[in-house]
Structure formats: C-alpha cells, structure tokens
Amino acid sequence: MTVIGTRLPRAEDPRLLRGRGRFGDDFSAPGQLWARVVRSPAAHGEVRDLDVTEARNVPGIAAVVTAGDLPRDLVIPVRLAIADTDLSGFLQPVLARDTVRYVGEPLAVVVGDDPYACEDAAELVGIDIGGRPAVLDARQDPPRVAAELTRGYGDPGAAFARAAHVVEIDLAIGRHSGVPLEPRCLLAVPGREPGELAIFGMTKVPVWNRDLLADLLGVDETLIRVHAIDAGGGFGVRGEFYPEDFLIPWLALRLDRPVKWAEDRAEHLMAVNHSRQQYHRIAAAFDAGGRILALTDDVVQDNGAYCRTHGVAVPELTVAMLPGPYRVPAYRGRVRVVLTNKTPCGTYRAPGRFEGTAAREHLLDVAATRLGLDPVELRQRNLLTRSEMPHERPISTLGTEMILDTGDYPALLAAAVAEAGRLGYRALSAGTALPTRKRRGFGLAMFVEKSGLGPQETADVTVSRSGTVHVYSGGTSLGQGIETVLTQIAADAIGADPGAIRVTAGDTAAQPFGAGSWASRSTVVGGSAVHQAALAVRRRAIELAARVLEAAEEDLDLAGGSVSVRGDPAVRLTLADLAKVAAPASRYLKEGEAAGLSARRRFEASHMTYPYGVHAAVVEVDSGTGRVRVLRYLVAYEVGCAINPMLVEGQLRGGVAQGIGGALLEEFRYDEDGQPQAITFIEYRLPTAAEIPPVDVLLCQESPSPGNPLGVMGAGEGGISAAGAAVANAVRDALGLPGSVGQLPLTPARVCALPGAIAGPGTGGRP
Amino acid sequence: MSMHKISLRVNSREHELAVEARRTLADMLRHDLGYTGTHLGCEHGICGACTVLMDGQPVRACLVFGVQADGTEVRTVEGLADGEQLSDLQQAFSDHHALQCGFCTPGFLLLAEAYLAETSADALTEAQARELVASNLCRCTGYQGIIEAIVATARARRK
Ligand code: FES
Ligand code: FES
C-alpha cells in the first residue's frame, strides 16, 4: 500500500488540537529572566544620549545593556549572498550606536525577573535623538542605492524599435509582509560548559543561525543546540537572524541565567522584515500577431533602512523570474535597491514573484485591450509549449542556472479557463441585474514558481528497539505539515505504517546538516533525502533479515513493518526485531560492521524545479465606496506529485488568503515623520473569513519533476504568487479601465480614485 | 504591586493563587497555571487566539484581568478532549484540515464550542459559520477548513 498521494490525517494535529503544541512562549526555564527591547521612537537621527540609570534602579531589573556593552561593529551578515553585490556598508547593527534609521530599531535591552516590570523599566530609558529628515519615498531624488542588479539577454532595444505595438504600464506594490499569528519568541538557556546554550525559538534555518551565533559569540557551534519547536507560521519572515537572535543568547551567557524574550504585536509589525514594496515600470514589445518580441522592467525596491539576511534576494528574484511562462526573445530587468527610513525588508512567501507576476500579468491584460485580443488568447500565443521544454533561460537566480524543467503551460491555462467556466465564474462576473454602483469583473493570471532550492539536504533515518522509525530532517515545522509529509515519504520507502514513523524536524543536535525550510524546498529536497535514507534502511533491514533467516535477500520483502519470505508470510521479522539484530552486541553483525539499523543520506539539487499555475478571480467593486469583494477564486496548479493532496490544497488556499490581503487590505503605511501607522491589527488588516471567498483548487500532477526521485515540486508559494495580479486584473475588468490600476493594495480610497469608479450605469462585467 | 488572592476553576480543577491586579487572564493561565494552550497573537483583542470560556461565555483572555476570573469557571483548550479522545469538534478540525500551524486553533475551538452550545438545536448555515469565524484571525488556512469543520460538527450534533 502506498501512503504517498493519500489524504493522511496530519501527524501534527492531535497535539495542536489539544493545546499541547510547544510554541516559543510555551518554553520556560527555572530562574529565567525576561528581556524587553527598547526601540527607537524616531525614524532617523543621531543618538545623543541614552540614559539607563532610572531603568536600572527599578526593582527586579538585572541589567540594561546598550550598544556600548556589545562588541564593537557587530552587524548581522547576509545569508543569501549574491555574486557581485557588496552590502557590507548597509548591514544592521545588533543595537544602534550613533544613528537610528527606522522607528523600532533596537537601542537597548532591559532584563529582569518579571516581564511586566521589564516593560515598566524600558519606558524609563531616557532617549535623546537629534532628528534628521526621514526618507520615506524610495523614488526620491537622489536615491540612496544599496545595490543595482540587471538580469537579461538579447537586445530589447532593437526589438522595441521594430515592434508593431509597445505597451507600458506603471504598477506599485504595497509594503506588507508575512505577519504570522504567533509573534517571535526566544529562550536561551546556558549550560554547564562555558559557551553552552540551549535555544528554543529559532526556526526556518536553525543550523545556519546556530553557526552564525557561534561565530558571533566565538564559541564552538556544537556547544549550541537549537531545539525543534512548533512555530505559529513562518511565511519567510520568521527564523531569519534578527538582532534579538544575538542579544538574547549573549545575555544568557553574560548573566549566566536563562533569558526569555517574547515580542508583542506592535514590535513585530515594526521589527520583523517588511517586504514587497516595489515600483515597476514594465513594457513589452509585440509583433503584429501579438507575439512578445521583448520585455523590460525597471524596478525600484524600497528596502527600508538596512540590508538584512536576505541581502538582495528579493529584488534578484523579481527580475530573474519576471519573464515567467512566456517565450520572451529579449529581456532586461533592472532593479535598484533603495534604502529608506522604514523597517528593513526581507522575503515574504513568493518573494519577487508576487510582485513581478503582478506587474507582468497586469501588463498583459492592458496589452490585450490595446491589441484587441482576448487576454487568454494573448497568453496562449506567447506561452512556452511542451515541445520547448526544458527551457533554458540565460539567467541565474539564487546562484543557480534557470532551466524551466518541465510542464505544459498552454494545457494548464486551457484547463483553468475551462474549470472557471464550469464553475460559473464567467456568468457570475457578467452579473446581471446588479445595483448600479456594483460592477463585477473577471481576472486571470499565470505564473511560474520556483522550488526545491539546493544545494543539499541531509536526512537520518534510524529504527529504535520498539520498531519506531525515527526521521531526523533539517526542515522545520512552521505549520506546513512537514512531519506528515516526511512520514508519508518514509513510510512508503521503508515499507512501514505511517503510525510507526516519528519525524523530528529542526533540532540541530539530531540533524546537524539541515539547510532548513524555506523557498518551498522541504518536500522536494528534504523529502528526497528522507526517501533515500529510508530506502537505505530498508535495504539494510533486508540484508540483516537474510542473515537471520538464512534466506537470499531477493526472496525477502519488507512491508507493513516486517520482513517476510515471499510466499511464506509466517516467517517474518519486524523492524523491532531487526533493530535488535543490528544492536552493538548482536551476534549477527560481522566483524568491523557498524551497529544500528540506520542510514544518513544527502540529496543534492543543483537546479531548482519550477511548478506553475493559473489564478482566476471574480470580484465585485462598489464603485461608490471603492470596496472590492472577491466573490470566487480558483487556483490551478501543477505540483508534479502531491505527497498529500489535502496539504497541497491547504497551502494553496492559505496562500490565496494572504495574497488577497496583499492585493486589497494589508499595508504598512507611514506618516510624514516616518512614524509607522500600522502597529496593531486594527490598522494592519489581516483578512478575516468575511474577506476570503471559498477557493476552488484544480490540482494537477501531469508533469513530474525530473530532478528528484519523487517527482515533486514545491507547493508553499503557488497560492500567493499571482493573487495580486488576478485581483488587479479583475478590478480593472470590473471598472473597464484602459490602463493600469496603478497601485496595490486596492484600498477603497485608491479604487475611488480610479477613472471608472463613479457611481453610474454599470459598464463592468464584460466576461 | 499589591497582590490579590483569587480562586477559580479551570477545566473543572480548583486553583487558588495570588496575582497582580494588572496581570491578564491570559498570562495568568499560561504562566502561573501552565495552561499554555491559550495563545497570544496580538494582546489587543483582535485576533482571538486567546479566546477561552468564562462561565460558558467566550472572552478574550488578553483583555480580561486575572482578578476578574475570581470565582468563575474557565474552560481552555486543554479541557476539550476526553482523556486521549479528541472531541467531535477537534476531530472535525483535523478531518477538514482546519489547522496548519495550529496557533489560532484553540481560539477557534472555544469560540465554536460556545456558539454550538447555544445554538445546537438550529441549523448552522455556511454563511453563519463564516460570520462566526470572522471574529478571529487565522493566517495560515484561508478559513475554509475551519468553516467546514464547524458546520459539519453542528450537523452531526443535531442528529
Ligand atoms: S491575543 Fe487576545 S485577541 Fe489577540
Ligand atoms: S493555522 Fe496558523 S494561524 Fe491559523
């Protein structure tokens, strides 16, 4: 029986449903101190004085530290370095020393017995900042450019010169981010050895964070153990190395006490990576038949005050992935990474693709209008076909060559259009007998995702004496269901029931070589490593069973957790038996042979695998109030092989909800002094069930990835990639706009400012 | 800070303790009494992750002071299952993939329990369930599974 492909109930659910999850703030240690970070109240200025005397005198306060207490020039380095960019002048210090550059920048830390008292004391820190003008618009002249990147090939200039049609639009993407429901939390517990630390709360890339922390503290990395925990959502932002990830462990060592820090929501919204804010000027040249001759995009990214661990990964992905699923003979994408006095940026689910897909797909809809073509027909004329696969694009991204590995883009687009028709999307968007102010529209967008970034992932599989199969993976549990997915993969590979598998994900002692959960890589790369390690354990089990049973290996089979002789099911050895057969003192081991029924395997991926999909939305726009409601939403997605279709659908649906948030609701706004205006859930509007429609999913498994043994592609980001594009296109359709909607999110005020948005006889609803 | 002595029942267990006047019910449940299933997503009353039942009524434990729970009966997510047996609602959440990270889940479970206890005799439409679910925030699921799980439980309980 195969478990892969089934809707196996999640291994994570029972503990989470019973309140037995172990989230960051659920960990405590005897004698722990609490930390509170003192943050800059000013967007930009010189730190003239920090007076901590009064705070230090609050009863129960153990220490107040400022930049002067830290090693000098301590900055957080880039994790995803990209060739030819030097960001060393733009990195964030752990605590600001002379200058603050955004509201929320850490200035000091107060540590004490009680979190309430720490907050009191933090408010007593005297902060004197000499204000300087805050830069809040990345398009300001002259911009402070941290990096400029260009990706492309061919001669777009020549193509534009001979084009029959040239279409250009501007589109701005709003500043928003992952905003997981659980704020960050960190507990650092010093051990007996100097430098020894147990850490609870690092996720995503625990091994990388452990190694960096060890380097910054000057200790051997094996002294630090990052424990596996439950995390209340990741979405790219959680688990990167932030200033607090140095401060809390450092304080624990320095004070020789456990130190815990739990962020509040206001802190989270101004401290954790922002994302997305970009200004696109995108243009395409077409021949008379509507075929793309060239594509160009000029992008300005508002990166906030510093370059963080992602370096320039988001802007690079934006321009590298921009041509998407289309045949683009000539291309140039340029992006300037501009610093402003806002919270620094990093990745958020589908980084660069949400933004680039919105710009490109909106451009195509505007072009379809100009060229007098149906938007679907224009896309069909330009999609790469199956016969053109694999398609090598002379572009590198994240240090890998881009080879669109497999797929049938035109077929998926046709299937999505047919599915939307079958579900009545077109009729709904035509919306007969609507009140005059209401307009409906249909919008569609296509995208290519990337997944399975290497270079490697390592997995250990070992069988304990009870017959339990333990899987130690380097991925981390962020809510995506990795424990379930790896259980299914291991169960099939080894030949055991899922109930016999136990997955530990993200413990640096149990798996010291893990590369983490990000970039939709865990199922692809981590899953492949588990598959290989479990297959190796299976072979080993059969080898040992052959010795015990004095049978030939080819006569043995391993299924349901036991090895039996083919044709004689009465003779069998369970995995528990075989774990004992492999025990150190076993007489079945040969001389010099290592004990244990276990294997470690490393799966290497030199290229990414590229899933793809189509989003379609029906919206209703109130042209008087400017309110946009999404009535129906469809995602068609090629995933190669769905290990657990329920989880893939869940990823897609959850991604859509976040995407609709970014398209309509969520935005980090600032006032003219650089004060953040979205520091609670009242101003930062996460979508509720009232804003999210039922999401239809068309899950395709037609094009297995050739790059891994399971044929899988990642599914973490396909639900969000094209959401900005589909919603923007639907709103444009509803209002009958000739050009671009101009700016996301499409808040009521922005919609009201669009040309079609005046109460009057409806013109929307052209399907 | 002066401390106040209070007593309350949590999931049918008696507790007596002394708390500061300003200590929230959520912090008291989590850190003084060890009921860490009650989660804090915003501490300002919007997300609903901290929802618990106080004398049967759903409250946001981040907006209630611990002292206000004096003499009350509080129910948290830890009190929903019967031993190792998940409640029907919990099971429905798993069946309908109503949770991913699970951080919001305790709040939704208790919100729905309170609603179902009051209205179990009536049919719960999908639209009503959607309105109910719109009280709390979930960042992972897109809400569809949560709505389906609550509707399915209401239906099953009616039978
Ligand atoms: S934590 Fe209480 S409502 Fe969010
Ligand atoms: S499941 Fe993660 S917030 Fe709801």
Side-chain angles (χ1 to χ4, degrees):
Chain A
M1 194 197 77
T2 66
V3 193
I4 287 180
T6 64
R7 297 173 174 264
L8 188 75
R10 298 201 326 159
E12 295 87 344
D13 284 356
R15 70 167 185 269
L16 295 173
L17 285 162
R18 301 165 56 95
R20 289 187 185 167
R22 299 283 267 153
F23 294 93
D25 188 37
D26 301 344
F27 293 92
S28 286
Q32 80 191 3
L33 296 165
W34 291 76
R36 175 81 183 172
V37 179
V38 179
R39 297 176 185 278
S40 170
H44 192 199
E46 166 203 345
V47 184
R48 291 206 198 105
D49 189 35
L50 272 183
D51 184 356
V52 301
T53 2
E54 215 183 327
R56 252 184 207 138
N57 290 335
V58 172
I61 295 305
V64 184
V65 298
T66 64
D69 301 305
L70 296 179
R72 225 188 145 80
D73 302 325
L74 195 62
V75 293
I76 297 170
V78 171
R79 177 167 70 86
L80 295 176
I82 279 163
D84 304 330
T85 49
D86 176 12
L87 303 173
S88 52
F90 312 109
L91 302 178
Q92 177 160 6
V94 169
L95 290 173
R97 182 182 296 262
D98 311 312
T99 310
V100 290
R101 295 185 175 86
Y102 66 95
V103 173
E105 180 164 4
L107 278 168
V109 193
V110 177
V111 197
D113 296 325
D114 173 67
Y116 286 56
C118 288
E119 281 196 49
D120 292 343
E123 282 174 17
L124 298 177
V125 172
I127 303 173
D128 181 6
I129 288 172
R132 293 194 200 135
V135 176
L136 298 162
D137 189 336
R139 295 161 300 178
Q140 168 170 316
D141 208 26
R144 183 150 185 257
V145 178
E148 179 171 331
L149 305 168
T150 304
R151 292 285 180 275
Y153 51 86
D155 185 354
F160 272 86
R162 66 182 161 88
H165 309 275
V166 169
V167 183
E168 180 182 280
I169 63 164
D170 287 341
L171 186 68
I173 314 294
R175 193 179 197 81
H176 60 285
S177 196
V179 192
L181 201 60
E182 184 202 11
R184 289 177 301 161
C185 188
L186 207 56
L187 170 67
V189 185
R192 292 168 194 234
E193 297 284 325
E196 187 182 342
L197 278 169
I199 308 264
F200 302 83
M202 282 181 180
T203 57
K204 184 175 179 177
V205 285
V207 173
W208 195 89
N209 283 4
R210 177 201 66 173
D211 290 354
L212 173 60
L213 180 61
D215 292 348
L216 295 177
L217 293 171
V219 304
D220 182 90
E221 75 271 14
T222 59
L223 286 169
I224 302 174
R225 176 173 182 184
V226 176
H227 287 259
I229 59 160
D230 287 308
F235 315 126
V237 301
R238 184 196 300 285
E240 288 297 329
F241 201 98
Y242 290 96
E244 297 85 357
D245 292 282
F246 174 81
L247 287 168
I248 305 306
W250 176 80
L251 281 163
L253 287 185
R254 187 174 133 128
L255 302 170
D256 200 19
R257 298 264 300 268
V259 178
K260 175 164 169 173
W261 165 71
E263 161 184 81
D264 68 30
R265 183 52 63 181
E267 278 185 287
H268 182 96
L269 292 172
M270 57 180 138
V272 172
N273 289 342
H274 286 185
S275 200
R276 299 282 202 247
Q277 190 166 28
Q278 292 182 343
Y279 303 88
H280 286 254
R281 174 158 293 176
I282 184 168
F286 296 89
D287 72 9
R291 272 168 291 265
I292 297 170
L293 299 172
L295 184 67
T296 62
D297 194 3
D298 201 352
V299 186
V300 172
Q301 162 151 323
D302 183 335
N303 205 63
Y306 296 101
C307 292
R308 282 186 170 172
T309 45
H310 294 115
V312 293
V314 177
E316 198 235 18
L317 281 163
T318 305
V319 289
M321 295 290 291
L322 196 95
Y326 303 103
R327 193 182 305 106
V328 179
Y331 168 64
R332 194 192 66 243
R334 175 176 84 130
V335 57
R336 278 167 294 163
V337 183
V338 176
L339 299 184
T340 58
N341 294 111
K342 304 179 191 173
T343 299
C345 284
T347 58
Y348 168 32
R349 201 176 198 176
R353 281 93 73 202
F354 178 91
E355 303 90 319
T357 301
R360 181 193 65 237
E361 294 296 304
H362 204 48
L363 173 79
L364 287 179
D365 266 27
V366 173
T369 308
R370 295 277 163 83
L371 273 64
L373 286 170
D374 178 83
V376 174
E377 174 57 26
L378 177 67
R379 287 178 172 82
Q380 284 290 11
R381 287 186 194 179
N382 287 290
L383 286 173
L384 291 162
T385 61
R386 196 179 247 309
S387 64
E388 291 167 276
M389 293 300 205
H391 177 74
E392 204 167 322
R393 247 186 207 139
I395 292 180
S396 77
T397 185
L398 300 177
T400 66
E401 291 304 316
M402 189 181 298
I403 303 168
L404 302 178
D405 48 346
T406 182
D408 191 338
Y409 301 160
L412 188 70
L413 178 57
V417 170
E419 182 71 356
R422 189 182 73 77
L423 295 169
Y425 279 35
R426 295 293 181 138
L428 183 69
S429 69
T432 49
L434 291 175
T436 47
R437 282 184 4 193
K438 306 268 171 145
R439 319 272 171 81
R440 286 191 184 164
F442 175 81
L444 173 143
M446 182 132 192
F447 66 97
V448 167
E449 257 301 332
K450 55 136 205 73
S451 68
L453 179 66
Q456 70 90 30
E457 190 58 72
T458 298
D460 285 82
V461 172
T462 185
V463 181
S464 57
R465 290 187 324 125
S466 68
T468 301
V469 179
H470 299 268
V471 174
Y472 300 104
S473 166
T476 59
S477 192
L478 300 159
Q480 77 281 48
I482 185 174
E483 292 166 41
T484 307
V485 166
L486 297 183
T487 293
Q488 289 179 262
I489 291 171
D492 271 6
I494 207 165
D497 292 334
I501 316 273
R502 239 189 85 97
V503 174
T504 303
D507 181 322
T508 59
Q511 183 44 268
F513 301 118
S517 280
W518 47 289
S520 295
R521 68 188 300 283
S522 289
T523 301
V524 181
V525 193
S528 295
V530 168
H531 173 77
Q532 291 178 339
L535 280 182
V537 169
R538 176 193 175 85
R539 283 191 298 271
R540 175 82 174 135
I542 288 177
E543 181 189 11
L544 291 169
R547 283 183 209 166
V548 179
L549 300 172
E550 295 177 350
E553 285 179 30
E554 27 321 337
D555 294 337
L556 299 180
D557 187 32
L558 172 43
S562 317
V563 179
S564 57
V565 180
R566 276 184 233 272
D568 186 5
V571 185
R572 33 184 276 162
L573 288 167
T574 63
L575 285 171
D577 298 333
L578 290 164
K580 287 163 205 148
V581 167
S586 165
R587 64 192 171 92
Y588 292 103
L589 290 184
K590 292 183 184 164
E591 203 179 319
E593 189 177 19
L597 183 49
S598 55
R600 165 173 291 176
R601 285 294 180 273
R602 182 168 71 105
F603 180 76
E604 289 176 279
S606 53
H607 291 97
M608 291 194 280
T609 180
Y610 294 86
Y612 54 96
V614 178
H615 285 200
V618 180
V619 303
E620 182 173 280
V621 182
D622 185 319
S623 65
T625 65
R627 176 166 177 222
V628 178
R629 280 178 54 212
V630 182
L631 303 179
R632 294 292 290 271
Y633 205 99
L634 167 72
V635 180
Y637 191 64
E638 172 63 54
V639 73
C641 162
I643 304 291
N644 186 326
M646 177 178 82
L647 300 197
V648 176
E649 289 164 11
Q651 284 296 306
L652 295 174
R653 293 205 165 97
V656 167
Q658 292 184 320
I660 289 174
L664 296 176
L665 304 166
E666 297 173 35
E667 192 169 32
F668 292 116
R669 285 171 296 100
Y670 287 81
D671 74 4
E672 58 278 12
D673 298 322
Q675 290 295 329
Q677 302 297 293
I679 57 164
T680 71
F681 281 157
I682 300 166
E683 306 99 0
Y684 191 86
R685 293 195 55 211
L686 293 182
T688 72
E691 285 89 25
I692 303 303
V695 175
D696 301 303
V697 173
L698 180 65
L699 191 58
C700 301
Q701 306 182 53
E702 310 290 327
S703 296
S705 168
N708 64 75
L710 301 162
V712 291
M713 303 183 183
E717 299 166 286
I720 196 169
S721 318
V727 170
N729 286 349
V731 169
R732 178 178 175 272
D733 181 52
L735 295 175
L737 298 179
S740 162
V741 296
Q743 195 172 358
L744 298 179
L746 286 162
T747 56
R750 290 193 185 122
V751 171
C752 282
L754 291 171
I758 28 157
T763 57
R766 289 154 324 285
Chain B
M1 297 290 162
S2 68
M3 304 292 271
H4 300 260
K5 239 184 116 194
I6 63 166
S7 62
L8 73 163
R9 287 161 70 84
V10 182
N11 304 328
S12 309
R13 229 177 103 192
E14 295 285 351
H15 291 281
E16 267 187 37
L17 74 161
V19 286
E20 250 186 71
R22 64 175 178 171
R23 194 156 181 83
T24 64
L25 175 59
D27 281 345
M28 185 181 99
L29 286 170
R30 291 179 51 75
H31 297 303
D32 300 336
L33 301 176
Y35 296 100
T36 53
T38 300
H39 295 155
L40 289 167
C42 69
E43 296 176 271
H44 52 254
I46 304 291
C47 75
C50 63
T51 304
V52 298
L53 304 188
M54 219 168 102
D55 290 334
Q57 289 301 310
V59 296
R60 311 227 147 174
C62 69
L63 295 186
V64 174
F65 291 115
V67 290
Q68 290 175 279
D70 190 13
T72 67
E73 166 90 44
V74 171
R75 200 155 173 224
T76 71
V77 68
E78 288 92 343
L80 293 181
D82 181 6
E84 289 303 308
Q85 184 69 39
L86 294 180
S87 75
D88 55 348
L89 182 67
Q90 288 171 315
Q91 188 58 50
F93 264 58
S94 185
D95 295 344
H96 293 270
H97 194 23
L99 64 155
Q100 290 184 21
C101 78
F103 194 75
C104 67
T105 309
F108 278 109
L109 287 171
L110 288 154
L111 179 75
E113 272 304 345
Y115 188 88
L116 291 172
E118 269 181 16
T119 54
S120 56
D122 304 315
L124 177 70
T125 64
E126 159 127 18
Q128 285 168 318
R130 185 170 287 280
E131 202 180 313
L132 173 74
V133 168
S135 315
N136 284 11
L137 292 174
C138 171
R139 189 54 160 168
C140 301
T141 64
Y143 303 105
Q144 201 154 324
I146 302 175
I147 293 166
E148 285 169 11
I150 294 171
V151 170
T153 305
R155 213 165 271 155
R157 285 192 189 175
R158 245 180 14 252
K159 289 218 177 101

